[in-house]
Amino acid sequence: MNDHFHHKADGWDERPVPAQISEGVTRTLLATLPLQPTLEVLDFGAGTGLIASKLAPHVARIHAVDISPAMLAKLADKPELQGKVDIHCQDILDTPLDTQVDLIVSAMALHHVEDTRALFQRFHQHLRPQGRLALADLDTEDGTFHPPQTEGVFHTGFDRDHLGALLTDSGFVDVSFTTACEVDRDHHRYPIFLVTAAKP
């Protein structure tokens, strides 16, 4: 499995766009979905832990899932995550975790997964009853967010109605969208949505 982020891990947290997105997504998530200190969380596409680091003080445990060893190595070094995180370098579509969680969060990972429906079905399996989802990614864009020929990108954002229907078809209820932030770059504006949903 290719690590498309191998050469991006160093300095990732200092990049303005990932920092802006993680701030906006976490702020919106905390305002939309108050957390409890007993919650067990799966962070899908956890990367260097930009989201996990902000959630750690509010929850009991975080399962950081990513397929990039380089990004997860940066996450593992963060002092604020010591004793709070379990690291899983695996594709949960091929190899599910052997546990269920109360909340699944993800920021900017959905567009890296080709089969969105299969991913949502896997999320449903990984959630306990009454578990929640909080997923952030790009609204439909013109393909300019990533440089041309960027490897591992399967979607140029998502249509909210289509994505909401996929979540409903996958067994989720209470599907709700909000705009977490907007990224301004190279004379383009890219809205980032946060969609929340629940497993009955």
Side-chain angles (χ1 to χ4, degrees):
M1 185 180 299
N2 290 332
D3 185 351
H4 299 304
F5 285 82
H6 177 74
H7 298 295
K8 301 178 182 179
D10 286 336
W12 182 260
D13 289 7
E14 285 71 49
R15 294 189 179 198
V17 170
Q20 179 187 354
I21 292 174
S22 66
E23 288 288 346
V25 168
T26 307
R27 181 175 61 251
T28 306
L29 192 156
L30 292 174
T32 305
L33 207 64
L35 303 182
Q36 304 293 329
T38 57
L39 291 183
E40 193 170 356
V41 180
L42 190 161
D43 183 357
F44 177 78
T48 62
L50 285 172
I51 298 292
S53 296
K54 296 177 176 65
L55 297 185
H58 305 281
V59 300
R61 197 83 189 157
I62 297 174
H63 295 274
V65 174
D66 206 295
I67 60 172
S68 170
M71 298 289 270
L72 287 174
K74 299 296 182 183
L75 181 151
D77 285 341
K78 292 190 171 177
E80 64 270 27
L81 290 174
Q82 301 307 306
K84 257 303 177 63
V85 66
D86 294 314
I87 295 173
H88 308 268
C89 190
Q90 66 195 69
D91 183 344
I92 62 170
L93 282 175
D94 296 330
T95 310
L97 301 186
D98 59 358
T99 188
Q100 287 186 312
V101 298
D102 305 296
L103 171 66
I104 295 175
V105 300
S106 180
M108 302 300 283
L110 296 184
H111 62 261
H112 292 294
V113 178
E114 188 169 11
D115 193 337
T116 310
R117 182 185 297 273
L119 180 64
F120 287 170
Q121 292 169 350
R122 184 67 82 209
F123 283 168
H124 195 274
Q125 295 167 4
H126 278 81
L127 280 173
R128 298 176 179 130
Q130 287 78 57
R132 302 295 301 269
L133 280 181
L135 312 174
D137 214 293
L138 291 156
D139 279 298
T140 303
E141 47 101 5
D142 61 3
T144 58
F145 184 83
H146 295 90
Q149 283 78 54
T150 300
E151 294 184 350
V153 174
F154 295 101
H155 308 275
T156 53
F158 297 91
D159 175 79
R160 295 188 187 194
D161 289 339
H162 177 68
L163 204 66
L166 273 183
L167 285 165
T168 300
D169 290 347
S170 300
F172 290 98
V173 298
D174 299 331
V175 178
S176 179
F177 285 84
T178 189
T179 299
C181 63
E182 292 186 345
V183 175
D184 290 306
R185 189 174 65 188
D186 299 331
H187 309 293
H188 288 76
R189 176 168 289 184
Y190 303 97
I192 309 294
F193 65 79
L194 179 74
V195 57
T196 57
K199 177 177 178 177

